[in-house]
C-alpha cells in the first residue's frame, strides 16, 4: 500500500515525507542528522530519556524530543535555531555532570556515542557540578562487565536482551537520581541467569557494558615464554576489517592471518579445522541416535550462550543436546594432545588463544569439564574487538598487510562446510553434507542446502537420506528458540536435528563483534542496522563456494587425524577429548 | 529458590493466577503479596516472573520504585520519615539521620530485634506541620532532633508491655 505523504519544512526547505515518522527519522531521510543519543533503531530504547535531540517544531509548545515526536502536515522544523542548539548542548552537559569521564582509560573511546554528541554539541564537561549517583562496577564476568558510572540510562540494553533473548536480565532499578540499570538486585552478571552473550554490549552507546578483556592474560603468557598458539573462528574474518574502516562485508581472512603472525603467535590456526572435527563427531552422534532410538531431536552445542540458556532455563532438554564440545574447545584439546605429541612439546608449555565473535566463549573456556589432565583446552578468549585493539596497539597498518594463509601443518586444512558455521543454519548445512554421505556413500547434491540459509529467526526443512526423512529446524536468538524448546519439553517435537545459536543471525552477529553504530557509519547507508548481518554472512558463503573441499569428511588432515589418533568418530579417545556434559544451574543463587 | 517453602510458593502462584486477566496484573499481584507477607524478596519475584512472563529485573524495578513495597521484612513499627519538599526544607534529613543513628540502621533496614524499620517517604500530606514522620499511620508533627529519642522510647515501652 502507498504510504501517505505529507509536506514539512526543515530549516526553511520544503520536503515530502511519509506520515507517521518521528521528526528524527524524517529529518534523516531529508539529509539532516539531528544529534541524538539514547534513541536506537527506531525505538529500541527507553524512549526520550536523554533530551539530546531537541528541536523547534511549529505546533508544539517549546522544544520537542525529535526521536519520539511525530511529523505532521505543514510542520516547520528548526534544528539550528540558537534555542535548539543551546538546549541540546545543555542536555549533554547535564549527562556529563553525572558521568565518570575517564575517556583515556575507556575501551569505548573511539566508538563512544556520548563523546561524539559532546563533541558536536560543544558541551563542556564541568558546566554543571553536583553530586554523582552512587555507582556499581561489576567485573566478576567472566564474559561481560558493567560500569554504571558510564551509564546514561538509555535502556537500549534492556530492550535488546528482551528482544533477542526473550529474558530481560537488565532493568531500571530504584528511582529518580538513584536510578541504575542492573540485573535484579543490582547483582553481578555472574550471579544472575545472564547468558553473557554480549548482545547488550553491542547496543550500549558508552563504556557501561563491555567485554571483560583478556589481553593482559596473553601479554603474561608471552612474557613467560609460553608457546602461544592462536585460532580464529569463522565469523571473525567476516567482520574484523570493519575495525579498520573497511565497508561491512569485507573479507578479512588473509590480512588477519598476516596480522596474527606479526603479533608473534607460535602457530596461526583456523578454528575451522575444529569445526570440521565437530561435524564428524556431531553428524555421527546424530546417526547413532537415529539408528539406536536415542533421544531426539538432537540439538547442536557449539554456542555457549545457548548452553548457558539451556542450563538456566531448560535443564529438562539437556539429554537432547549433543555432547560435542564446541569447535574451538575441540581444537584446543587436539592442540594439547595430538599436536603436542607430534611436535614433542609439553602441553603445559602451550597457551591456546581463541579469537571469537563472542563474549559467552569467555564463560565457556572456564568450565571445569572443558579441561584434560588439569589443563584447560583453551587458555584465553579474545573477542574480534579485542583482537583489533591488539593489532592497533602494535602499530600494524591493516591496509598495508599482505594476504597470507593460516599455518598448514597438521591442523591447517579446512573445508567450506566449516566456514559457514559462523552464520545461522551453517552448522546444520555442514552436518547434513556429512550425514548424507555417511548414510549413502554419496555426496549431497547440490552441496548448497539453501532452505536453512537466511536470517529468519526460525527455519525448517527436511531431507530424504536413503529413505529416511530427516526433519530439521534452525533457530537463532533465544526468543526464537523458545518455541522449539517448549515443544521438546512437551514431547511434541517432530524434528530429528535442531541447530540453535544464541545470537540473532548466528556468530556473525555475536556479542564480541565490531559495533555497528550508524552514527559512525555515514557511508554505509541508512538501513545498515537491517543489512549488516546479511553482508557479513555473505563473506562466509563466498568463502565456502571458493574452497576446493566443501565437506568436513573430505578434509585430508581430518582423515589423517582419525587414522593416526582417534580411529573413528565417537571412539573412546574422542569421547575423552572431544565430548562434554551439562548440568542445571540455579538462576539467582543465594549470595 | 530453595529457600522458599513449597506452600508459600503455591500461594503466590495462586495470587498470580487470580489476577492474570487484569490489564496491569503486576501492581495488583505485588500489592497483595506485600500485604499478605509483608515483603517481596527475590525468590518470590522469580515465582511471579515465571507466572506472568514479566522479567525478574522489571519486577525488581517496580518493587524498588514504590516505597510501599519492600524487599526485606518490615519491623513491628515502621517509622516513615517524610523527605518531601516542605519537610526537607525544614530539616527532615537531620531527623532521619537521628533515627538511623539511634537505631543503628539505614533507611530501608530493620533493627535486629525486629521492632523498627526506617523508611524515607515522599510527602505524607502534613506539609503545614513539617517536618513530620508517621509511625504505623500515626503522624508526628513539627519534629526536632531532640524529640527523636523520646519517640523511640515510647514505642519500646509499648512493645515491652
Ligand atoms: S563512555 Fe565515552 S564519554 Fe564516558 S568515559 Fe568512555 S569514552 Fe569517555
Ligand atoms: S549478556 Fe545477553 S543475556 Fe546477559 S544481559 Fe546482555 S543481552 Fe541479556
Ligand atoms: S548500560 Fe549502556 S545500554 Fe544500558 S542503559 Fe546504560 S548506557 Fe544504555
Ligand atoms: S535521542 Fe531523543 S531523547 Fe534521547
Ligand atoms: S513534604 Fe512532608 S508532609 Fe508534605
Amino acid at each position: 500500500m502507498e504510504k501517505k505523504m505529507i509536506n514539512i519544512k526543515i530549516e526553511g526547505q520544503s520536503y515530502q515525507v511519509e506520515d507517521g515518522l518521528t521528526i528524527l527519522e524524517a529529518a534523516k531521510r531529508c539529509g539532516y542528522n539531528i544529534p541524538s543519543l539514547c534513541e536506537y533503531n527506531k525505538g529500541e530504547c527507553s524512549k526520550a530519556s536523554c533530551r539530546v535531540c531537541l528541536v523547534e517544531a511549529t505546533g508544539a509548545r517549546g522544544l520537542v524530543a525529535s526521536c519520539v515526536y511525530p511529523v505532521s502536515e505543514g510542520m516547520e522544523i528548526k534544528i539550528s535555531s540558537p534555542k535548539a542548539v543551546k538546549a541540546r548542548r545543555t542536555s549533554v552537559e547535564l549527562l556529563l555532570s553525572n558521568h565518570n569521564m575517564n575517556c583515556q582509560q575507556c575501551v569505548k573511546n573511539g566508538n563512544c556515542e556520548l563523546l561524539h554528541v559532546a563533541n558536536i554539541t560543544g558541551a563542556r564537561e564541568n558546566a554543571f557540578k553536583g553530586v554523582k549517583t552512587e555507582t556499581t562496577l561489576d567485573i566478576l564476568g567472566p564474559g561481560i562487565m558493567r560500569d554504571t558510572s558510564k551509564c546514561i540510562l538509555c535502556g537500549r540494553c534492556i530492550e535488546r536482551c528482551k528482544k533477542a533473548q526473550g529474558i530481560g536480565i537488565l532493568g531500571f532499578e530504584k528511582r529518580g537520581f538513584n536510578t541504575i540499570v542492573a540485573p535484579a538486585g543490582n547483582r553481578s552478571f555472574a550471579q544472575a541467569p545472564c547468558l553473557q552473550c554480549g548482545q547488550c554490549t553491542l547496543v550500549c552507546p558508552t563504556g557501561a557494558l563491555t567485554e571483560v578483556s583478556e589481553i593482559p592474560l596473553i601479554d603474561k603468557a608471552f612474557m613467560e615464554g609460553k608457546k602461544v598458539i592462536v585460532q580464529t573462528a569463522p565469523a571473525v574474518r567476516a567482520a574484523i576489517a570493519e575495525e579498520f574502516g573497511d565497508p561491512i562485508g569485507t573479507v578479512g581472512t588473509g590480512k588477519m592471518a598476516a596480522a596474527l603472525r606479526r603479533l608473534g603467535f607460535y602457530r596461526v590456526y583456523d578454528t575451522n579445522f575444529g569445526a570440521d572435527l565437530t561435524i564428524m563427531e556431531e553428524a555421527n552422534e546424530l546417526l547413532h541416535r537415529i539408528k539406536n532410538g536415542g533421544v531426539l531431536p538432537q540439538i547442536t552445542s557449539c554456542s555457549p550462550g545457548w548452553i548457558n540458556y539451556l542450563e538456566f532455563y531448560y535443564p529438562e532438554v539437556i539429554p537432547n543436546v549433543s555432547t560435542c564440545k564446541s569447535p574451538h574447545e575441540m581444537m584446543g584439546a587436539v592442540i594439547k594432545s595430538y599436536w603436542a605429541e607430534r611436535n614433542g612439546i609439553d602441553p603445559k608449555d602451550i597457551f591456546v588463544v581463541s579469537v571469537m565473535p563472542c563474549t559467552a566463549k569467555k564463560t565457556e573456556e572456564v568450565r571445569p569439564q572443558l579441561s584434560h589432565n588439569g589443563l584447560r583446552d583453551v587458555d584465553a578468549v579474545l573477542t574480534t574487538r579485542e583482537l583489533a585493539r591488539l593489532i592497533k596497539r602494535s602499530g600494524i597498518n591493516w591496509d598495508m598487510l599482505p594476504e597470507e594463509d593460516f599455518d598448514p601443518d597438521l591442523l591447517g586444512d579446512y573445508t567450506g562446510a566449516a566456514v559457514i558455521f559462523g552464520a545461522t543454519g551453517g552448522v546444520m548445512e555442514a552436518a547434513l553434507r556429512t550425514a548424507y554421505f555417511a548414510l549413502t556413500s554419496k555426496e549431497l547434491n547440490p552441496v548448497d542446502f539453501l532452505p536453512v540459509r537466511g536470517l529468519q529467526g526460525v527455519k525448517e526443512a527436511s531431507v530424504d537420506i536413503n529413505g529416511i526423512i530427516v526433519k530439521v529446524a534452525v533457530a537463532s536468538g533465544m526468543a526464537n528458540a523458545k518455541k522449539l524448546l517448549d515443544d521438546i519439553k512437551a514431547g511434541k517435537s517432530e524434528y530429528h536435528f535442531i541447530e540453535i545459536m544464541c545470537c540473532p543471525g548466528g556468530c556473525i552477529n555475536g556479542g564480541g563483534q565490531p559495533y555497528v553504530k550508524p552514527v559512525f557509519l555515514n557511508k554505509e547507508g541508512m538501513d545498515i542496522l537491517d543489512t549488516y548481518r546479511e553482508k557479513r554472512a555473505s563473506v562466509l558463503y563466498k568463502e565456502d563456494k571458493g574452497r576446493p573441499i566443501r565437506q568436513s569428511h573430505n578434509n585430508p588432515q581430518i582423515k589423517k587425524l582419525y587414522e593416526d589418533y582417534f580411529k573413528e568418530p565417537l571412539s573412546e579417545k574422542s569421547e575423552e577429548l572431544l565430548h562434554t556434559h551439562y548440568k542445571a544451574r540455579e538462576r539467582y543463587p543465594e549470595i | 529458590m530453595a529457600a522458599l517453602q513449597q506452600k508459600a510458593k503455591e500461594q503466590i502462584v495462586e495470587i498470580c493466577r487470580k489476577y492474570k486477566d487484569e490489564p496491569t496484573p503486576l501492581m495488583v499481584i505485588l500489592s497483595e503479596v506485600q500485604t499478605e507477607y509483608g515483603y517481596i524478596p527475590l525468590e518470590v519475584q522469580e515465582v511471579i516472573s515465571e507466572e506472568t512472563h514479566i522479567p525478574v529485573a522489571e519486577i525488581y524495578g517496580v518493587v524498588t520504585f514504590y516505597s510501599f513495597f519492600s524487599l526485606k521484612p518490615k519491623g513491628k513499627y515502621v517509622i516513615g520519615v517524610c523527605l518531601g519538599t516542605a519537610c526537607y526544607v525544614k530539616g527532615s534529613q537531620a531527623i532521619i539521620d537521628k533515627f538511623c543513628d539511634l537505631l543503628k540502621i539505614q533507611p530501608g533496614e530493620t533493627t535486629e530485634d525486629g521492632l523498627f524499620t526506617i523508611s524515607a517517604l515522599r510527602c505524607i500530606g502534613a506539609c503545614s506541620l513539617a517536618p513530620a514522620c508517621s509511625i504505623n499511620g500515626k503522624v508526628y508533627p513539627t519534629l526536632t532532633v531532640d524529640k527523636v529519642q523520646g519517640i523511640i522510647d515510647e514505642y519500646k515501652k509499648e512493645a515491652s508491655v
Side-chain angles (χ1 to χ4, degrees):
Chain A
M1 207 183 71
E2 275 284 291
K3 291 250 173 67
K4 189 179 156 217
M5 301 298 278
I6 57 170
N7 300 294
I8 60 167
K9 277 189 176 172
I10 304 177
E11 315 287 40
Q13 310 296 309
S14 300
Y15 299 95
Q16 278 210 321
V17 296
E18 265 170 43
D19 197 9
L21 294 179
T22 61
I23 294 178
L24 186 76
E25 203 43 44
K28 200 177 285 171
R29 298 184 192 191
C30 301
Y32 301 87
N33 288 327
I34 302 172
S36 69
L37 181 59
C38 63
E39 197 280 336
Y40 182 75
N41 202 15
K42 304 178 195 108
E44 279 182 54
C45 52
S46 66
K47 306 249 165 69
S49 62
C50 77
R51 321 286 301 167
V52 169
C53 64
L54 296 174
V55 296
E56 281 191 67
T58 49
R61 251 194 292 140
L63 298 157
V64 297
S66 59
C67 67
V68 288
Y69 206 86
V71 286
S72 57
E73 177 61 42
M75 180 181 265
E76 292 182 30
I77 296 153
K78 292 203 187 101
I79 305 168
S80 63
S81 77
K83 215 165 116 193
V85 167
K86 177 150 182 267
R88 289 196 298 266
R89 185 189 311 135
T90 304
S91 298
V92 179
E93 284 172 345
L94 283 168
L95 288 170
L96 297 183
S97 73
N98 196 14
H99 188 86
N100 172 18
M101 294 285 286
N102 64 347
C103 307
Q104 73 285 359
Q105 293 160 34
C106 183
V107 293
K108 266 298 170 59
N109 195 336
N111 217 305
C112 174
E113 294 175 56
L114 175 58
L115 206 51
H116 173 73
V117 289
N119 266 325
I120 58 175
T121 59
R124 296 145 302 171
E125 182 185 340
N126 289 322
F128 301 97
K129 280 217 178 73
V131 272
K132 296 192 172 179
T133 305
E134 202 181 308
T135 59
T136 301
L137 178 64
D138 168 19
I139 49 170
L140 291 184
I144 59 170
M145 55 174 282
R146 180 171 59 101
D147 181 355
T148 65
S149 73
K150 308 270 171 82
C151 176
I152 59 150
L153 305 175
C154 66
R156 294 180 188 183
C157 54
I158 301 174
E159 293 309 310
R160 173 55 68 99
C161 185
K162 279 201 263 187
K163 193 172 156 200
Q165 313 303 18
I167 42 184
I169 290 296
L170 292 160
F172 289 106
E173 224 163 279
K174 307 195 202 155
R175 62 182 166 186
F177 186 67
N178 295 320
T179 307
I180 53 167
V181 166
N186 198 15
R187 281 175 173 236
S188 162
F189 285 122
Q191 290 157 342
C194 160
L195 315 179
Q196 309 237 357
C197 67
Q199 282 297 313
C200 50
T201 69
L202 294 179
V203 295
C204 180
T206 67
L209 293 171
T210 56
E211 72 272 291
V212 176
S213 178
E214 290 179 47
I215 291 178
L217 296 183
I218 291 166
D219 289 342
K220 182 157 169 277
F222 275 116
M223 211 100 84
E224 289 169 349
K226 293 245 163 103
K227 301 227 171 340
V228 187
I229 298 178
V230 72
Q231 54 167 323
T232 67
V236 178
R237 75 204 60 197
I240 185 146
E242 294 164 26
E243 288 277 353
F244 304 96
D246 287 338
I248 297 181
T250 303
V251 184
T253 323
K255 283 182 190 285
M256 178 178 65
L260 290 167
R261 199 158 283 127
R262 281 150 186 75
L263 288 172
F265 289 102
Y266 188 74
R267 282 288 192 287
V268 179
Y269 284 134
D270 195 331
T271 307
N272 278 331
F273 181 86
D276 278 331
L277 189 55
T278 304
I279 286 301
M280 295 301 289
E281 294 291 324
E282 193 156 350
N284 281 288
E285 182 184 353
L286 175 65
L287 296 178
H288 186 266
R289 287 185 191 229
I290 292 179
K291 283 185 193 157
N292 299 295
V295 181
L296 288 173
Q298 174 174 306
I299 312 179
T300 57
S301 58
C302 31
S303 163
W306 143 237
I307 295 299
N308 289 338
Y309 186 77
L310 169 79
E311 295 185 331
F312 281 128
Y313 300 93
Y314 283 89
E316 305 87 346
V317 176
I318 287 177
N320 293 78
V321 178
S322 163
T323 57
C324 287
K325 290 182 185 175
S326 71
H328 83 116
E329 293 288 341
M330 283 201 184
M331 188 81 177
V334 171
I335 289 172
K336 291 191 179 180
S337 55
Y338 171 71
W339 184 92
E341 272 173 37
R342 293 300 135 109
N343 285 281
I345 293 173
D346 185 344
K348 286 195 195 65
D349 298 329
I350 299 174
F351 191 89
V352 175
V353 178
S354 301
V355 183
M356 299 280 126
C358 179
T359 51
K361 291 279 177 199
K362 291 175 186 277
T363 68
E364 183 184 36
E365 58 169 338
V366 296
R367 294 170 81 90
Q369 60 267 52
L370 294 175
S371 58
H372 192 245
N373 295 337
L375 289 180
R376 265 161 55 176
D377 295 338
V378 169
D379 299 287
V381 167
L382 294 185
T383 59
T384 309
R385 301 191 290 261
E386 287 173 276
L387 173 59
R389 247 179 274 150
L390 213 55
I391 295 173
K392 288 173 188 166
R393 183 180 83 170
S394 307
I396 294 170
N397 182 338
W398 179 263
D399 294 327
M400 288 172 71
L401 281 169
E403 306 266 335
E404 290 182 5
D405 283 326
F406 293 97
D407 286 324
D409 60 314
L410 292 176
L411 319 174
D413 216 338
Y414 65 91
T415 72
V419 184
I420 58 176
F421 259 61
T424 165
V427 179
M428 176 61 68
E429 183 171 344
L432 287 178
R433 290 181 193 173
T434 289
Y436 191 90
F437 181 81
L439 278 176
T440 62
S441 305
K442 283 195 292 247
E443 298 296 355
L444 183 65
N445 188 17
V447 56
D448 294 328
F449 190 65
L450 300 180
V452 292
R453 294 193 185 178
L455 290 169
Q456 311 88 287
V458 183
K459 293 167 280 190
E460 301 173 297
S462 53
V463 231
D464 183 339
I465 308 184
N466 249 7
I468 305 178
I469 305 289
V470 176
K471 292 185 128 187
V472 303
V474 172
S476 64
M478 290 304 114
N480 292 319
K482 198 170 183 327
K483 171 85 180 43
L484 298 175
L485 294 168
D486 283 334
D487 281 352
I488 296 176
K489 226 168 101 173
K492 294 193 304 203
S493 182
E494 42 182 46
Y495 300 109
H496 295 93
F497 192 28
I498 298 179
E499 176 201 295
I500 295 183
M501 292 290 159
C502 186
C503 292
C507 310
I508 44 151
N509 188 33
Q513 291 283 55
Y515 303 116
V516 180
K517 295 293 173 65
V519 55
F520 298 118
L521 297 169
N522 282 326
K523 303 266 177 282
E524 291 279 4
M526 250 172 253
D527 58 348
I528 188 61
L529 286 177
D530 302 323
T531 58
Y532 73 96
R533 293 182 301 167
E534 210 172 317
K535 290 184 177 171
R536 285 178 180 169
S538 73
V539 172
L540 302 181
Y541 287 112
K542 242 185 282 163
E543 185 164 342
D544 171 30
K545 252 205 149 79
R547 292 302 291 178
I549 302 173
R550 301 183 59 196
Q551 302 90 355
S552 301
H553 53 273
N554 292 330
N555 179 335
Q557 288 181 335
I558 289 281
K559 287 187 187 170
K560 184 134 179 55
L561 176 64
Y562 277 105
E563 267 160 39
D564 293 357
Y565 201 69
F566 288 119
K567 303 306 166 210
E568 56 184 13
L570 313 182
S571 69
E572 208 172 302
K573 188 107 198 142
S574 38
E575 290 292 344
E576 179 190 334
L577 286 173
L578 308 179
H579 291 258
T580 183
H581 59 269
Y582 318 102
K583 63 171 195 289
R585 271 194 278 168
E586 206 181 337
R587 290 185 213 162
Y588 292 94
E590 242 169 280
I591 45 175
Chain B
M1 219 180 309
L4 199 62
Q5 302 280 323
Q6 189 56 31
K7 184 134 181 292
K9 187 178 167 180
E10 278 163 21
Q11 283 166 345
I12 287 154
V13 168
E14 201 175 295
I15 295 176
C16 293
R17 301 219 167 128
K18 185 160 81 185
Y19 295 117
K20 75 176 184 327
D21 296 324
E22 294 274 326
T24 49
L26 188 58
M27 287 306 278
V28 240
I29 292 170
L30 290 178
S31 303
E32 182 153 339
V33 173
Q34 174 71 41
T35 321
E36 282 293 306
Y37 299 89
Y39 67 117
I40 316 174
L42 194 56
E43 302 92 276
V44 171
Q45 295 175 33
E46 278 191 74
V47 178
I48 299 174
S49 168
E50 259 169 50
E51 281 300 310
T52 58
H53 303 292
I54 298 167
V56 177
E58 208 169 308
I59 299 174
Y60 196 92
V62 174
V63 172
T64 52
F65 189 87
Y66 296 98
S67 53
F68 172 68
F69 302 127
S70 62
L71 290 161
K72 295 186 189 136
K74 284 193 178 165
K76 185 162 185 217
Y77 304 113
V78 179
I79 308 171
V81 183
C82 176
L83 293 182
T85 317
C87 290
Y88 191 82
V89 170
K90 292 246 174 110
S92 61
Q93 186 66 47
I95 306 284
I96 194 167
D97 289 348
K98 186 72 181 180
F99 271 112
C100 291
D101 246 25
L102 293 176
L103 294 172
K104 300 192 177 55
I105 52 172
Q106 292 300 307
E109 292 178 355
T110 301
T111 52
E112 255 171 48
D113 58 10
L115 226 42
F116 296 101
T117 300
I118 301 178
S119 79
L121 300 182
R122 303 288 131 183
C123 180
I124 57 172
C127 306
S128 56
L129 308 168
C133 80
S134 90
I135 300 181
N136 291 9
K138 177 173 172 199
V139 174
Y140 289 76
T142 47
L143 289 173
T144 61
V145 171
D146 299 337
K147 289 186 189 164
V148 171
Q149 182 72 61
I151 297 173
I152 293 174
D153 290 343
E154 179 188 329
Y155 282 94
K156 280 194 173 155
K157 211 170 121 208
E158 184 186 307
S160 65
V161 290

